[in-house]
Amino acid sequence: NHVNPAMDFTQTPPGMLALDNMLYFAKHHQDAYIRIVLENSSREDKHECPFGRSSIELTKMLCEILKVGELPSETCNDFHPMFFTHDRSFEEFFCICIQLLNKTWKEMRATSEDFNKARKRVMQVVKEQIMRALTTKPSSLDQFKSKLQSLSYTEILKIRQSERMNQEDFQSRPILELKEKIQPEILELIKQQRLNRLVEGTCFRKLNSRRRQDKFWYCRLSPNHKVLHYGDLEESPQGEVPHDSLQDKLPVADIKAIVTGKDCPHMKEKGALKQNKEVLELAFSILYDSSGQLNFIAPDKHEYCVWTDGLNALLGKDMLSDLTRNDLDTLLSMEIKLRLLDLENIQIPDAPPPIPKEPSNYDFVY
């Protein structure tokens, strides 16, 4: 209150206790007081940490933490020996904490433009720093001070991050709601990747009942996702095979179903194929028209998942492979972690940074 500053101390708590603390700090810790005031007066206006307002807020918070102004509790077990090591222990406690607040404000690059928002964020971190330091039950104010020094804003972020990783947070309602909101985007991304792989195409081996594997055929999806092009090859191709060199076509609209494993027509035939479990796990077929079928044996499990997912996506069905499950978990967890990062006041550039020039020599390698 610029007209009557006395009005700033009418709310209790903290009341006049805040003013007593400010006065004690200015008298007994003159150097630190002058440093804080000078530091803030030389900062840009929007980055200054207002000493008066901060002191009132901090005193109020310390009263909450130590339950100042409440009746003593018979059941409370908290005992802080450091408060019995000094005649003016509460004021000394304030002096340590106001310096911490100033330091944390600086580390968080908070601005006073919207003091209420900045105050809330900084005060949350400062409260966490004080509470974590108090739980170690320091035996003196000096011990408390050195404990706070190790709990910088960066350290608090690391602690929060590791606690988040150690799980309960990922099961909390807001996180689960965020997951639900993000999941369709991630599934769409996976679907696009699968369809792009089908457009590139894959070379499949032709297996007959005598287990000869010397013939190949190639299948790929057209770029407009309307037609599957396929045809026999003399040998395994190097790179993609162009559409026009593949003789046969199957319109996606004609596909009736996708079957896998022992449900595939070519796995029901008698012979060695039926006995081979590995081949069974890589087999899938496209059923079209009344009795038409296109039989596949994927070169490996990864290609099997890519193709079955891609074909199901083309038919508007769910992608159910292990690969999709793993991709979804990985991408979802990465996206959640990114969204939970504290990116306040951090400018994220739209363009990637320029690649630096090559050094004049590489002697530093040795």
Side-chain angles (χ1 to χ4, degrees):
N1 189 323
H2 296 296
V3 182
N4 182 4
M7 299 301 290
D8 293 340
F9 303 99
T10 50
Q11 186 192 358
T12 51
M16 294 299 284
L17 182 57
L19 185 59
D20 289 345
N21 282 339
M22 289 158 75
L23 190 60
Y24 181 90
F25 182 51
K27 276 185 177 175
H28 294 83
H29 295 270
Q30 210 169 3
D31 290 349
Y33 168 70
I34 290 169
R35 192 181 70 247
I36 286 180
V37 173
L38 286 179
E39 218 175 70
N40 284 300
S41 61
S42 63
R43 275 188 207 163
E44 280 179 66
D45 279 354
K46 64 173 189 174
H47 282 296
E48 67 163 331
C49 170
F51 177 69
R53 295 169 84 173
S54 302
S55 299
I56 294 167
E57 286 294 329
L58 179 64
T59 305
K60 187 178 172 185
M61 186 173 80
L62 297 182
C63 290
E64 281 171 19
I65 292 173
L66 298 174
K67 302 193 170 34
V68 173
E70 293 181 24
L71 290 171
S73 159
E74 295 294 323
T75 54
C76 186
N77 294 319
D78 284 345
F79 176 70
H80 298 291
M82 71 177 190
F83 289 107
F84 297 89
T85 60
H86 199 285
D87 290 343
R88 307 287 297 273
S89 56
F90 186 79
E91 288 88 338
E92 287 291 328
F93 183 51
F94 168 85
C95 294
I96 294 168
C97 295
I98 191 70
Q99 292 175 73
L100 169 75
L101 192 154
N102 188 59
K103 176 170 165 271
T104 303
W105 182 284
K106 205 162 46 181
E107 286 173 354
M108 290 177 72
R109 298 186 59 75
T111 60
S112 56
E113 279 173 37
D114 189 346
F115 180 77
N116 287 334
K117 259 190 194 171
R119 181 203 69 201
K120 209 169 179 184
R121 287 191 305 107
V122 176
M123 284 299 182
Q124 276 175 346
V125 175
V126 171
K127 186 172 186 176
E128 192 172 338
Q129 288 167 314
I130 294 169
M131 297 291 279
R132 285 184 186 277
L134 285 176
T135 52
T136 62
K137 296 280 188 277
S139 55
S140 68
L141 288 159
D142 286 340
Q143 265 189 24
F144 173 69
K145 194 174 179 177
S146 62
K147 180 65 189 166
L148 283 180
Q149 279 166 352
S150 65
L151 285 169
S152 64
Y153 173 53
T154 322
E155 191 56 34
I156 289 289
L157 286 183
K158 280 183 192 163
I159 293 169
R160 283 179 179 177
Q161 185 74 3
S162 69
E163 284 176 357
R164 226 178 253 144
M165 295 305 97
N166 295 344
Q167 222 44 34
E168 272 100 31
D169 257 8
F170 272 144
Q171 300 311 319
S172 66
R173 238 184 73 207
I175 302 292
L176 292 174
E177 281 173 16
L178 181 60
K179 266 188 178 175
E180 270 176 45
K181 192 180 164 193
I182 298 170
Q183 192 158 317
E185 295 170 33
I186 304 284
L187 280 169
E188 185 56 33
L189 188 71
I190 295 170
K191 177 181 164 183
Q192 289 310 319
Q193 188 272 341
R194 300 293 190 262
L195 294 175
N196 289 344
R197 279 288 294 104
L198 264 59
V199 170
E200 284 172 25
T202 302
C203 175
F204 297 94
R205 286 182 182 277
K206 280 192 167 183
L207 273 138
N208 58 26
S209 53
R210 290 182 190 161
R211 311 301 313 283
R212 288 182 62 221
Q213 299 189 18
D214 50 357
K215 289 197 172 177
F216 301 93
W217 69 290
Y218 200 88
C219 185
R220 64 181 296 183
L221 180 65
S222 63
N224 63 6
H225 300 173
K226 297 268 174 76
V227 181
L228 281 172
H229 297 266
Y230 62 97
D232 290 347
L233 299 174
E234 289 303 314
E235 55 185 0
S236 180
Q238 304 299 313
E240 287 181 26
V241 175
H243 294 109
D244 39 20
S245 66
L246 300 168
Q247 315 87 319
D248 302 302
K249 290 180 184 178
L250 169 61
V252 170
D254 292 351
I255 298 176
K256 298 281 182 282
I258 310 294
V259 290
T260 59
K262 56 179 183 291
D263 296 329
C264 297
H266 59 316
M267 292 292 113
K268 288 177 179 169
E269 295 163 9
K270 287 179 182 173
L273 283 182
K274 203 172 178 186
Q275 313 306 319
N276 191 331
K277 190 165 178 283
E278 275 177 35
V279 172
L280 203 60
E281 285 178 353
L282 300 175
F284 61 97
S285 297
I286 293 174
L287 308 182
Y288 59 95
D289 294 342
S290 52
S291 59
Q293 63 198 45
L294 202 54
N295 298 322
F296 298 77
I297 290 169
D300 54 47
K301 190 70 180 168
H302 184 271
E303 285 296 318
Y304 169 83
C305 293
V306 166
W307 272 84
T308 51
D309 282 344
L311 292 169
N312 279 320
L314 280 175
L315 300 183
K317 295 182 179 176
D318 290 340
M319 300 179 289
L320 301 170
S321 74
D322 293 344
L323 185 63
T324 293
R325 244 193 327 275
N326 292 342
D327 286 352
L328 183 64
D329 286 347
T330 306
L331 293 169
L332 206 50
S333 128
M334 273 169 59
E335 187 65 25
I336 294 273
K337 285 172 194 170
L338 281 172
R339 298 219 182 173
L340 293 178
L341 280 179
D342 192 349
L343 296 177
E344 195 82 38
N345 293 327
I346 294 174
Q347 290 296 316
I348 299 175
D350 295 327
I355 296 169
K357 288 179 187 169
E358 286 206 22
S360 53
N361 64 61
Y362 288 90
D363 295 348
F364 59 84
V365 173
Y366 308 105

